[in-house]
Structure formats: structure tokens, C-alpha cells
């Protein structure tokens, strides 16, 4: 069955904001570390600071997430709130290249990342409105898959601009400014179809005091969640295993630079990750039609555990390339299937408030992982000791998820 117009528009947004996600994994941390190095900041310290910046972003989104989630469930609120945050992210992306001071750059990064992450609270919950439950795995994995391959288009242009900046006479700074603007325009263009076609089908009726009502419903949501052990135990497991996934995404480039991988190898290896992730995410979606998505999530957690253990001893360029491919195999599957699985187990009319909580657990996890990696790196002066945190997260996540499945089976 072909995708509907709304499903295609929803997938297309992933193509748009994945361009910024790709920058976060590649050009942004490299540009930041070069800015910091130019200001005399040591490599291990700039890695720690980058981890702290990512953590600050997640704290902000975690604080505002529940209110946004419950507010977005009101009829007619979800789309305007989604667009407001998406536009903040797009604007932040467009101006980041103009920052020549590393502190200003971090500040702009936080603004742009909050915009993207806040928008994703509404975007993820839209999955309940734009498709049926039996198609959620397929549509969700298509979102990640096309996001991976679609983000390669503006990234490839950006990469060519940056790598040829000196030979063309453009200069690295001007090339980077243009690269950020190109990605922002791409993101905006991919957002407009969803803005035009989206229809909110699951909602609660408006009232005279939607904000006050949102705070009241936050309490009710946490009460519902505490009473529903299946939802609570899933989010507990999700917190740990997605922590490792997001931390790898956020810190891979910075860690690669610390162990001696050149900028060009970092960028090209991470481009390969996007290309390989495209068919792998599609495959996960197709396999999920025949195999329970929970089994595929379990397999992905084990795969990431192996990746994290291998990363601890990484010190060669070929090893970074190898890990880039391994990450690509599981990255789209574990994120997409976790999203669609959660969408299946929550009440549809309250999807946005539950996805607000989902985002807290996801972004809160990202905060914990990046903070711990940054902290251990700063304390020891060695990034590899920071990476040792990751295997522990996947082990806890694996056993917690297995425990969740036992509870879900009984309920």
C-alpha cells in the first residue's frame, strides 16, 4: 500500500530536520572544536564543554516538554506550536555560521537545538493522527530512512563547500556560513508540505484556560503513567538504551577528533553512516511486519552494546569507519521502532501529552549520557574514560526492556 499525502508530508519533515541533525553529528562539532582551539581551549576541555552544551539543551526541553505536550493535545494547538518551534530551529541554524566566538556559537546551537527538539515533541505525536496503528512501524521507519538519505543532499553540498573552501578562494568561514544557510533553507522547504496538509484527528476540546488546564493534565498524565506499569517500565528502559544512542550521535565526532581521526575522514565516515542507514531503516520497517518490533529493539540494543565496547579501544581511522557502518545498521531501527511502539501503547487522544513525557525520558537520557561522558573526560583528561559510560547504559537498558516485556505480556 502506497503512502498517503499526509504520511508523505510527515516523512518529508524528517528529511528536513535530519539535515540539521546531520550537521550536529559532523560539521557543527568540528567547527566548534576549531573555534575553541583557536581561543586556546584544550581538546579534552572542548569535548567536555560540547557535552555540557548538549546537556543544557536537553534540560530546557525536558522542563518545557510536559507543558508543551499537554497544551498540544488541545484542538487546533498542535500545528501552530510545532511550526513555532520548527521556525526557531531553522532560524538558529541559519545564523550559526556567523558566530566567530566559541561561546556565542554554543549559545546559538542551544537555541537551534531547543527549536528542533521542541518541534519534535509535536512531530512525533502526529504519527497517531496521520496513519493507522497497523502502519505505524512502516511509516515511522520510513521517516528515519528518508531522513538519513535526504539529509545527505544538503550535507554533500556543504561538505564540498567546506573541503574546497581554500582552493576556490571562498574561505572556510564563508563556506561554513553558506553551508548553515543551505541546510536551514532545506529544512524550511521540507516543513511546508506538512504545515499545509496536517489534520489533527485526536485531541481534547479547547477550554477557556488551556495553559492552566495543561498543568492540571500533567499531574493526571503522570498519575496515569504510574498506574500503567507497561508504559512506565518501557519509558524506564527507553531512558537507558536511548541514552547510549543519543550520546553516540552527539559525541562521535568530538571523540573521533580526540583520538586522532582527521576532519575529512570524520565527515566522510559519517556521510557513509547516513547512506547505509537508509536501506537498513527500511529493512527494519519491513521485517517489523513479520517479526515483533520488540524483538528488533532487543537486537538493536545488543548491537549498540557491542559498538560501545569496541569504541573504547578505538584509535585507528579504519576502526572509526567500521563503527560508522555498524551504527548505521541499528540507528534508524531502534529510534523508529521505539517511537512507533510507544505510539501503540498510549491513549491516542492524549498522544501529545504522553509524547511530551516520552521526550523527557529521551532528552533526559541524552542529558545524562553527554553529561557523564563530558564529566569523566574532564576529570580524567582522556575521552576514552568518558566512553566507558556507554556500555553500562546499554546493559541496564537491555535488562529493563526485557522486564518491561514481561509486565506488558501480563497486562
Amino acid at each position: 500500500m502506497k503512502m498517503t499525502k499526509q504520511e508523505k508530508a510527515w516523512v518529508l519533515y524528517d528529511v528536513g530536520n535530519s539535515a540539521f541533525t546531520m550537521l550536529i553529528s559532523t560539521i557543527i562539532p568540528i567547527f566548534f572544536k576549531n573555534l575553541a582551539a583557536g581561543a586556546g581551549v584544550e581538546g579534552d576541555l572542548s569535548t567536555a564543554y560540547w557535552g555540557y552544551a548538549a546537556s543544557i539543551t536537553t534540560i530546557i526541553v525536558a522542563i518545557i516538554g510536559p507543558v508543551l505536550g499537554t497544551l498540544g493535545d488541545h484542538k487546533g494547538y498542535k500545528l501552530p506550536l510545532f511550526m513555532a518551534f520548527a521556525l526557531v530551529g531553522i532560524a538558529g541554524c541559519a545564523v550559526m555560521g556567523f558566530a566567530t566566538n566559541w561561546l556565542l556559537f554554543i549559545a546559538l546551537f542551544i537555541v537551534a537545538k531547543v527549536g528542533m527538539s521542541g518541534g519534535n515533541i509535536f512531530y512525533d505525536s502526529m504519527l497517531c493522527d496521520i496513519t493507522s496503528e497497523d502502519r505505524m512501524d512502516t511509516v515511522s521507519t520510513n521517516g528515519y530512512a528518508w531522513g538519513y538519505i535526504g539529509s545527505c543532499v544538503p550535507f554533500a553540498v556543504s561538505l564540498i563547500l567546506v573541503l574546497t573552501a581554500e582552493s576556490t578562494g571562498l574561505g572556510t568561514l564563508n563556506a561554513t556560513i553558506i553551508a548553515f544557510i543551505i541546510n536551514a533553507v532545506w529544512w524550511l522547504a521540507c516543513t511546508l508540505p506538512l504545515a499545509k496538509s496536517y489534520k489533527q484527528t485526536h485531541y481534547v476540546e479547547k477550554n477557556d484556560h488551556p495553559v492552566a488546564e495543561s498543568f492540571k493534565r500533567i499531574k493526571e498524565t503522570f498519575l496515569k503513567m504510574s498506574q500503567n506499569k507497561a508504559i512506565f517500565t518501557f519509558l524506564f528502559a527507553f531512558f537507558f538504551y536511548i541514552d547510549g544512542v543519543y550520546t553516540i550521535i552527539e559525541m562521535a565526532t568530538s571523540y573521533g577528533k580526540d583520538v586522532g581521526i582527521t576532519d575529512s575522514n570524520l565527515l566522510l565516515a559519517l556521510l557513509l553512516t547516513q547512506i547505509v542507514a537508509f536501506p537498513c531503516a527500511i529493512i527494519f520497517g519491513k521485517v517489523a511486519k513479520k517479526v515483533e518490533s520488540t524483538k528488533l529493539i532487543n537486537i538493536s540494543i545488543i548491537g549498540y552494546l557491542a559498538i560501545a565496547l569496541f569504541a573504547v579501544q578505538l584509535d585507528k581511522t579504519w576502526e572509526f569507519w567500521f563503527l560508522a557502518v555498524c551504527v548505521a545498521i541499528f540507528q534508524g531501527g531502534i529510534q523508529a521502532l521505539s517511537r512507533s511502539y510507544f505510539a501503540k501503547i498510549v491513549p491516542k487522544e492524549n498522544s501529545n501529552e504522553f509524547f511530551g513525557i516520552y521526550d523527557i525520558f529521551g532528552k533526559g537520557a541524552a542529558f545524562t549520557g553527554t553529561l557523564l561522558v563530558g564529566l569523566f573526560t574532564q576529570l580524567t583528561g582522556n575521552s576514552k574514560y568518558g566512553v566507558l559510560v556507554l556500555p553500562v547504559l546499554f546493559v541496564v537498558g537491555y535488562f529493563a526492556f526485557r522486564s518491561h516485556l514481561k509486565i506488558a505480556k501480563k497486562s
Side-chain angles (χ1 to χ4, degrees):
M1 182 178 175
K2 293 182 179 179
M3 286 196 290
T4 64
K5 182 180 179 181
Q6 274 205 99
E7 288 173 344
K8 289 178 180 177
W10 186 84
V11 167
L12 186 61
Y13 179 74
D14 216 324
V15 175
N17 79 347
S18 289
F20 184 62
T21 302
M22 182 66 167
L23 288 183
I24 293 172
S25 302
T26 53
I27 291 176
I28 288 177
I30 290 174
F31 187 68
F32 164 72
K33 285 185 74 70
N34 289 339
L35 278 177
V41 180
E42 295 293 330
D44 60 315
L45 280 178
S46 63
T47 296
Y49 294 154
W50 186 247
Y52 299 152
S55 298
I56 290 170
T57 302
T58 57
I59 290 173
I60 294 171
V61 178
I63 291 172
I64 64 177
V67 179
L68 293 176
T70 52
L71 191 61
D73 274 331
H74 288 87
K75 185 178 181 180
Y77 277 61
K78 189 178 293 188
L79 183 59
L81 287 168
F82 162 72
M83 286 301 299
F85 276 88
L87 290 173
V88 168
I90 291 166
C93 175
V95 301
M96 282 179 68
F98 292 98
T100 55
N101 175 279
W102 68 273
L103 278 172
L104 176 59
F105 185 82
I106 277 185
L108 290 173
F109 164 73
I110 290 172
V111 170
K113 187 78 184 295
V114 167
M116 184 187 75
S117 299
N120 280 348
I121 294 174
F122 307 102
Y123 171 71
D124 287 342
S125 70
M126 286 176 180
L127 184 62
C128 297
D129 295 318
I130 58 94
T131 193
S132 57
E133 187 168 308
D134 63 312
R135 289 175 55 79
M136 283 183 179
D137 287 337
T138 300
V139 176
S140 185
T141 51
N142 267 274
Y144 276 105
W146 287 103
Y148 290 136
I149 200 68
S151 65
C152 291
V153 177
F155 176 72
V157 176
S158 302
L159 189 60
I160 292 170
L161 282 170
V162 173
L163 294 181
T164 63
E166 299 306 321
S167 59
T168 59
L170 188 61
T172 302
L173 179 59
N174 289 331
T176 304
I177 290 172
I178 295 171
F180 280 120
I181 293 173
I182 288 172
N183 281 270
V185 171
W186 175 270
W187 186 357
L188 177 62
C190 293
T191 303
L192 296 178
L194 181 59
K196 292 178 180 178
S197 66
Y198 173 70
K199 298 290 186 295
Q200 187 175 357
T201 58
H202 297 97
Y203 51 81
V204 295
E205 292 294 341
K206 293 180 183 178
N207 58 56
D208 295 333
H209 306 285
V211 176
E213 179 68 16
S214 294
F215 280 101
K216 179 181 177 182
R217 287 180 58 219
I218 289 171
K219 180 181 177 180
E220 293 174 353
T221 301
F222 275 103
L223 183 61
K224 290 177 191 174
M225 192 178 70
S226 64
Q227 293 173 342
N228 190 319
K229 290 184 178 180
I231 293 177
F232 178 78
T233 54
F234 168 74
L235 288 172
F236 180 79
F238 177 72
F239 176 89
F240 284 97
Y241 74 72
I242 211 67
D243 188 347
V245 174
Y246 286 156
T247 303
I248 287 173
I249 292 171
E250 294 276 3
M251 304 298 292
T253 303
S254 187
Y255 178 62
K257 278 187 72 70
D258 285 349
V259 298
I261 312 299
T262 63
D263 288 358
S264 57
N265 272 297
L266 286 171
L267 294 171
L268 292 171
L270 292 167
L271 175 60
L272 178 64
T273 300
Q274 300 296 100
I275 295 171
V276 175
F278 169 65
C280 289
I282 293 289
I283 291 169
F284 265 93
K286 291 185 179 298
V287 174
K289 294 178 180 179
K290 299 179 180 179
V291 179
E292 289 183 14
S293 59
T294 52
K295 291 183 179 179
L296 297 177
I297 292 172
N298 261 329
I299 291 170
S300 298
I301 295 172
I302 295 170
Y304 262 106
L305 173 60
I307 289 168
L309 289 170
F310 187 83
V312 174
Q313 58 79 55
L314 188 151
D315 59 3
K316 297 180 180 65
T317 299
W318 74 264
E319 292 176 336
F320 189 85
W321 281 82
F322 173 71
L323 277 187
V325 173
C326 291
V327 167
I329 293 172
F330 300 106
Q331 184 170 288
I334 195 169
Q335 293 182 85
L337 295 178
S338 296
R339 176 171 62 186
S340 56
Y341 177 70
F342 188 69
K344 293 175 186 177
I345 66 175
V346 300
K348 302 297 179 291
E349 69 277 6
N350 303 119
S351 61
N352 219 88
E353 65 183 71
F354 274 97
F355 267 100
I357 307 299
Y358 176 87
D359 199 70
I360 286 180
F361 277 77
K363 296 300 186 292
F367 159 74
T368 306
T370 53
L371 177 64
L372 289 175
V373 170
L375 184 61
F376 277 93
T377 297
Q378 186 172 9
L379 290 175
T380 63
N382 191 326
S383 300
K384 291 189 176 184
Y385 289 109
V387 172
L388 278 172
V389 172
L390 298 178
V392 177
L393 299 174
F394 288 116
V395 169
V396 175
Y398 175 77
F399 285 106
F401 188 65
R402 287 179 65 87
S403 177
H404 155 74
L405 294 178
K406 292 178 182 178
I407 292 172
K409 192 173 182 179
K410 292 178 182 178
S411 60

